[in-house]
Amino acid sequence: MSGASQSGTGKTPEGEGNIVHVTMIAAAAAMGGFLFGYDSSVINGAVDAIQQRFDVGAATLGFTVASALLGCVLGAAVAGGLADRLGRIRAMQIAGVLFAVSAVGSALPFTVWDLTAWRIVGGAAIGLASVIAPTYIAEVSPAAYRGRLASLQQLAIVLGIASSQLVNFGIAQMAGGSAHNMLGPVQAWQWMLGVEMLPALVYLGLSLLIPESPRYLVRVGRVDRARGILADVEGGGTERVNRRIGEIQEALGSEVRPRLRDLTGRYGLLPIVWIGMAVSAFQQLVGINVIFYYSSSLWQSVGVAETDSLLLSLFTSVVNIVGTFVAILLVDRIGRKPLLLVGSAGMTGALALAAYAFSNAVVDGEEVALPFVWGAVALAAASLFVLFFALSWGVVVWVLLGEMFPLRIRAAAMGVATATQWLANWLVTVSFPSLRDWNLSGAYLIYAAFAAISFFLVWKFVKETRGKTLEEMTG
């Protein structure tokens, strides 16, 4: 934490508060991100087993895997209003219950369609957590540390992804190396989906231990409680805390509960909302979740054995964690916009290389194989793609969404932007099995094109937010 006290101006900011305490609070809230990553990625190890168990085609399989994302859209869309009506903590607790219920239901489906329904319930929990956690963390964090603390959300997501891959590999090994095999009374893939109940219960427990957002408390008139929490997390004495309360009240203006109509402007929506939606969409349109939802199936489709494909998925998750730590170290030092630009450029090159590698696959009847050299190139390209995503768009988008909107519309705008992200995620996820069957190399070229476009989006429209307080965000 040696560099944490330096703002963008190089001066030590006032009111840094108890950084250890604030970090613990932010980490507890980010447990929702862990579940978000776990629930999103755990399906990866079960894709082929689900297809075999329920005897479904590529389109139905794609819809089942992507169905959670429909719930994500719903959860994200209602999260802002729910958080402003009931509070950030209560919204977290609702998400925790939905995660737990979904885990049990997904592990014990009767048909592919009730599995789909339980995935949608889990998706609603992800949507809630994806809005609430970054919003809450941004609202309890001192400006000097906010980028790094907000990055805990993405770190938790990638740890959740890696944990799900590790659990999947471990369960498959216990079942004889395949998710299709029986492990006790049910198949291995059912255990993979059911284990999520354990972190869901941990999340619920942690939500009972952390304080409510001071900005929410000011909004609902509980100023004394907000004053105490601000003194705890930001420090600075009574005079500073009172000034911060005044800044929050001024930023909130006359709005008590922001509504979707508060986001409207000359171009249908306020420009800052359009930018937030575009950044959210492109985080998914580059195809990152194809790696995390389908990587095991993808590697098997080019001739890699199931056990080896699960190991490759785990390796990709480790690369994701490394990239996330790089972003956490850099996001408050070099800023949000430079990281996004570097990431866009790197992803474009890596995706184009992956597309070229997959174009060298050898087809022999129904058998598909990737020669060793091109398999190594494909693995390197996929790993570089994940690395560049993790050190840029993976972390920075969540940081930006938590801080870029004016305070009076933050929760509502965050809900709309995040719902857009999940809709884009759904479109990519549901289309990939068909795109893969059509032309795997062509699919990766499409994602490379979106990565290239994202560079120009950031260059033209995204403003730097490093070192600013939330009350300084005016859109």
Side-chain angles (χ1 to χ4, degrees):
M1 293 295 178
S2 59
S5 63
Q6 301 302 311
S7 71
T9 63
K11 298 178 180 179
T12 301
E14 185 184 82
E16 292 178 351
N18 184 340
I19 184 58
V20 175
H21 182 51
V22 177
T23 300
M24 296 302 294
I25 291 173
M31 185 66 190
F34 180 92
L35 282 160
F36 164 179
Y38 192 100
D39 192 276
S40 297
S41 185
V42 70
I43 195 73
N44 181 22
V47 169
D48 286 340
I50 289 171
Q51 186 170 23
Q52 179 178 303
R53 168 73 174 269
F54 298 111
D55 191 24
V56 295
T60 302
L61 177 67
F63 182 79
T64 300
V65 173
S67 61
L69 303 174
L70 295 176
C72 292
V73 175
L74 176 62
V78 304
L82 197 65
D84 284 327
R85 189 160 49 249
L86 302 179
R88 280 49 167 158
I89 300 300
R90 187 66 68 194
M92 290 181 196
Q93 292 166 350
I94 292 172
V97 170
L98 292 178
F99 275 123
V101 170
S102 170
V104 175
S106 297
L108 301 170
F110 297 101
T111 69
V112 72
W113 300 115
D114 63 294
L115 171 61
T116 300
W118 289 118
R119 292 285 296 159
I120 291 173
V121 172
I126 296 173
L128 282 171
S130 68
V131 173
I132 301 306
T135 300
Y136 174 85
I137 293 170
E139 291 181 351
V140 299
S141 301
Y145 303 112
R146 194 177 59 243
R148 261 168 278 191
L149 292 175
S151 300
L152 291 176
Q153 164 78 351
Q154 182 63 18
L155 177 60
I157 292 172
V158 301
L159 289 174
I161 291 170
S163 296
S164 72
Q165 305 296 1
L166 185 60
V167 167
N168 285 353
F169 178 74
I171 290 175
Q173 291 301 104
M174 291 169 62
S178 175
H180 302 77
N181 294 343
M182 297 297 292
L183 186 59
V186 297
Q187 290 183 314
W189 67 268
Q190 294 174 269
W191 285 105
M192 293 176 181
L193 301 183
V195 166
E196 185 185 352
M197 186 175 182
L198 298 178
L201 294 177
V202 172
Y203 181 48
L204 273 172
L206 290 174
S207 70
L208 299 173
L209 303 176
I210 58 179
E212 183 56 86
S213 160
R215 289 169 177 84
Y216 167 76
L217 293 172
V218 171
R219 184 189 298 278
V220 297
R222 297 173 60 188
V223 177
D224 288 341
R225 178 62 181 146
R227 188 177 286 111
I229 294 171
L230 279 173
D232 193 26
V233 300
E234 293 192 10
T238 302
E239 182 179 347
R240 172 179 162 74
V241 169
N242 287 336
R243 186 170 75 250
R244 294 286 292 115
I245 292 290
E247 290 171 355
I248 293 171
Q249 290 172 328
E250 183 179 356
L252 288 171
S254 60
E255 297 293 338
V256 176
R257 290 176 182 163
R259 296 150 293 185
L260 290 180
R261 69 184 182 190
D262 297 321
L263 307 182
T264 58
R266 180 180 176 184
Y267 302 103
L269 294 171
L270 296 171
I272 191 65
V273 179
W274 282 119
I275 294 169
M277 291 170 65
V279 169
S280 288
F282 274 92
Q283 190 199 46
Q284 299 303 319
L285 292 174
V286 297
I288 187 61
N289 280 318
V290 165
I291 298 290
F292 295 119
Y293 297 162
Y294 291 113
S295 61
S296 178
S297 175
L298 185 154
W299 292 116
Q300 289 177 60
S301 74
V302 290
V304 176
E306 181 180 356
T307 300
D308 293 336
S309 71
L310 289 171
L311 275 176
L312 289 176
S313 297
L314 180 58
F315 172 74
T316 302
S317 294
V318 172
V319 172
N320 198 16
I321 293 171
V322 171
T324 300
F325 274 112
V326 172
I328 291 172
L329 290 173
L330 296 179
V331 67
D332 279 329
R333 296 183 180 181
I334 70 172
R336 287 59 160 154
K337 188 168 182 174
L339 278 180
L340 289 176
L341 291 172
V342 168
S344 293
M347 288 190 298
T348 302
L351 286 165
L353 181 60
Y356 186 67
F358 284 126
S359 72
N360 288 275
V362 177
V363 180
D364 183 11
E366 294 188 358
E367 296 295 320
V368 180
L370 200 59
F372 176 80
V373 172
W374 289 113
V377 172
L379 177 60
S383 299
L384 281 173
F385 167 52
V386 171
L387 180 64
F388 276 109
F389 178 87
L391 64 81
S392 60
W393 284 75
V395 166
V396 176
V397 168
W398 291 113
V399 174
L400 275 177
L401 291 181
E403 65 188 14
M404 69 187 291
F405 301 114
L407 183 56
R408 65 184 178 83
I409 64 165
R410 178 162 294 120
M414 180 74 173
V416 170
T418 311
T420 303
Q421 181 178 131
W422 290 119
L423 181 59
N425 192 338
W426 179 80
L427 289 171
V428 170
T429 305
V430 77
S431 64
F432 179 72
S434 298
L435 285 174
R436 178 191 61 197
D437 292 349
W438 163 68
N439 189 312
L440 182 58
S441 181
Y444 272 77
L445 281 177
I446 292 171
Y447 303 143
F450 280 122
I453 295 170
S454 73
F455 182 94
F456 295 100
L457 168 71
V458 173
W459 181 272
K460 179 71 174 176
F461 296 107
V462 173
K463 295 180 181 179
E464 184 57 68
T465 56
R466 180 173 63 125
K468 297 181 180 180
T469 67
L470 294 183
E471 289 65 48
E472 291 176 316
M473 308 296 178
T474 60

